Amino acid sequence: MPQTSRDLLAAARAVVPEVSPEEVARRGADGAGRLLIDVRERHEFEEGHLPGAMHLSKGFIETQIEDRVPDRDTPITLYCAGGARSLLAAESISRMGYTDVESMAGGFGAWKSHNHPFVIPRALSPEQKQRYSRHLLVPEVGEEGQRKLLDASVLLIGAGGLGSPAALYLAAAGVGTIGLVDFDLVDVSNLQRQVIHTVDRVGMPKTESARIAINALNPDVRVVEHREMLSSENAVDLFSRYDVIVNGCDNFPTRYLANDAALFARKPLVDGGIFRFDGQVTTVLPFASPCYRCRYPAPPPPEEAPSCAEAGVLGVLPGIVGILQATEVIKLIIGSGEPLSGRLLTVDALDMRFREFRVPRDPHCPVCGENPTITEPIDYEGFCMSPNAVPTEVAAAAAAR
């Protein structure tokens, strides 16, 4: 027997609870742990939506919900313009086995009429939709993730071996603002591995050379040059201006300073290191995961290892590690996947082996432990000036073996 739309809605109401906009607003920004899904069409979503809502239009919800929300026990609140489409969509995914689904009565119209806050996202231009089209096809990125990338700012410490591939891929991905901290000039010896620089830019400040390359790849990226040495006086202030910090420095003093300053500024730090054929990557989430000092509480004596210039590095290795760092940054920005926090990923390029080590957080860590003894950035000036100053990667590679 044919059913009318009223029949379908009545059947849906029999199995799907409805909640008022006031109740959704009362739960607050985190939605009391519930996932908000907007089932309207894309153009409706872009005209305004509830803060924190995911977009998944009703026409595709059955075919995409399992990829976007794999856990069927996730509490979900659906809404549309007036409450009908979300009610039908909620019934549909309930039949698919989602156990805790509700619909917001009155939809977005009722939400606005009660003067609850809503977000009008920045719409991607036609040129941006074309440039980032492959990102838009990936459910974990999509337009929302791409907007997050365009609004994000990332600071790279060093425009050298690790900074080169990281900067290029972050720019290609559409990170809106990229800051570069480096006071060095491009040298011919850099070109073996620092692929962001070219022969015609030898003698140019590395930040300027990198800016030229980045804007040639993606002119929409804003590049901020910091032609200065990272120090205890400027580190926390610099870090506070950016969303994520990428450490590509090649000496102990800067590595420890970057770790400490990122913690004090409460900014996630993606740390990478290279030495000959060995590389490593990890991510530090301030006071939520182990930091660099949890592994190495203090710099070792400089005479214990050869300098970077003496030891050398395989030219392609920074590309591998720098791209892994860029991948971590993108995941942090879009909020997808599992970061390398509490984990150290190492690569042996000679044998082409990747290994992962779990790193515990040290309760006695001098910076992030229970009773910290270091409460402000430190400059290891004497160590930094030593001709035997060595990259932390040496100790890390030795410890990993």
Side-chain angles (χ1 to χ4, degrees):
M1 182 177 179
Q3 288 186 308
T4 66
S5 59
R6 289 184 178 181
D7 294 331
L8 294 174
L9 291 171
R13 285 193 174 93
V15 296
V16 175
E18 290 186 285
V19 61
S20 69
E22 289 74 17
E23 173 62 19
V24 174
R26 187 190 62 78
R27 292 170 180 167
D30 65 353
R34 302 191 71 86
L35 177 63
L36 271 174
I37 299 181
D38 188 320
V39 301
R40 297 175 299 163
E41 297 301 312
R42 169 59 64 178
H43 72 274
E44 296 176 279
F45 181 80
E46 292 178 350
E47 291 171 358
H49 59 77
L50 271 65
M54 172 194 296
H55 178 255
L56 189 53
S57 66
K58 181 181 180 299
F60 296 97
I61 194 165
E62 291 88 357
T63 58
Q64 296 182 1
I65 186 70
E66 292 172 301
D67 290 332
R68 303 289 295 275
V69 190
D71 183 0
R72 284 175 163 77
D73 292 325
T74 301
I76 300 173
T77 301
L78 275 61
Y79 73 90
C80 60
R85 281 178 289 175
S86 60
L87 192 62
L88 295 174
E91 182 197 25
S92 180
I93 65 173
S94 294
R95 290 201 304 268
M96 294 176 65
Y98 285 84
T99 60
D100 187 357
V101 184
E102 64 184 20
S103 173
M104 187 175 77
F108 188 60
W111 178 269
K112 287 199 300 182
S113 69
H114 287 83
N115 296 316
H116 295 311
F118 60 93
V119 176
I120 301 177
R122 179 176 66 175
L124 300 184
S125 68
E127 293 78 13
Q128 289 173 326
K129 289 182 178 180
Q130 181 178 17
R131 175 183 281 271
Y132 305 117
S133 60
R134 299 307 185 271
H135 268 180
L136 305 185
L137 295 172
V138 179
E140 290 81 1
V141 184
E143 288 200 25
E144 181 180 356
Q146 191 60 56
R147 281 191 292 266
K148 290 180 180 179
L149 290 169
L150 291 167
D151 291 337
S153 59
V154 177
L155 180 67
L156 287 87
I157 306 171
L162 297 178
S164 290
L168 288 171
Y169 272 93
L170 290 174
V175 171
T177 300
I178 294 177
L180 301 167
V181 181
D182 203 310
F183 61 92
D184 202 3
L185 305 178
V186 178
D187 185 82
V188 171
S189 65
N190 302 147
L191 305 182
Q192 165 251 14
R193 63 203 177 281
Q194 299 180 19
V195 295
I196 205 167
H197 308 300
T198 57
V199 172
D200 63 313
R201 299 201 291 271
V202 168
M204 181 182 293
K206 285 187 176 179
T207 57
E208 181 180 359
S209 172
R211 175 182 57 76
I212 292 171
I214 289 171
N215 286 151
L217 175 63
N218 190 345
D220 291 335
V221 176
R222 174 174 172 259
V223 180
V224 183
E225 298 182 52
H226 301 284
R227 295 182 194 173
E228 55 189 313
M229 179 183 292
L230 193 70
S231 70
S232 61
E233 295 182 354
N234 64 11
V236 176
D237 177 62
L238 273 178
F239 287 13
S240 66
R241 306 178 203 174
Y242 294 86
D243 299 321
V244 184
I245 313 301
V246 178
N247 185 27
C249 71
D250 62 354
N251 61 76
F252 272 120
T254 309
R255 188 172 297 280
Y256 279 87
L257 175 60
N259 175 81
D260 299 351
L263 289 172
F264 298 143
R266 295 188 177 273
K267 301 292 181 175
L269 172 73
V270 180
D271 186 77
I274 49 174
F275 175 70
R276 292 183 175 168
F277 290 92
D278 296 320
Q280 62 164 344
V281 185
T282 191
T283 294
V284 177
L285 302 179
F287 303 101
S289 70
C291 74
Y292 190 78
R293 286 187 186 268
C294 288
R295 286 182 283 147
Y296 308 108
E303 65 273 9
E304 288 190 359
S307 70
C308 186
E310 293 171 334
V313 62
L314 183 69
V316 299
L317 182 63
I320 299 171
V321 175
I323 290 173
L324 289 172
Q325 287 181 278
T327 305
E328 282 291 286
V329 171
I330 291 171
K331 287 161 48 185
L332 289 171
I333 293 172
I334 65 175
S336 291
E338 181 182 355
L340 277 169
S341 58
R343 298 181 292 151
L344 178 68
L345 181 66
T346 67
V347 54
D348 178 350
L350 194 59
D351 294 330
M352 198 49 72
R353 296 182 188 276
F354 286 82
R355 292 191 292 174
E356 180 184 300
F357 299 88
R358 292 284 177 176
V359 180
R361 188 174 175 192
D362 182 6
H364 304 294
C365 175
V367 179
C368 73
E370 296 174 359
N371 298 292
T373 57
I374 298 174
T375 56
E376 59 184 15
I378 298 173
D379 280 325
Y380 293 94
E381 295 178 358
F383 191 92
C384 190
M385 295 300 292
S386 168
N388 291 322
V390 336
T392 301
E393 301 83 341
V394 176
R401 290 192 181 101

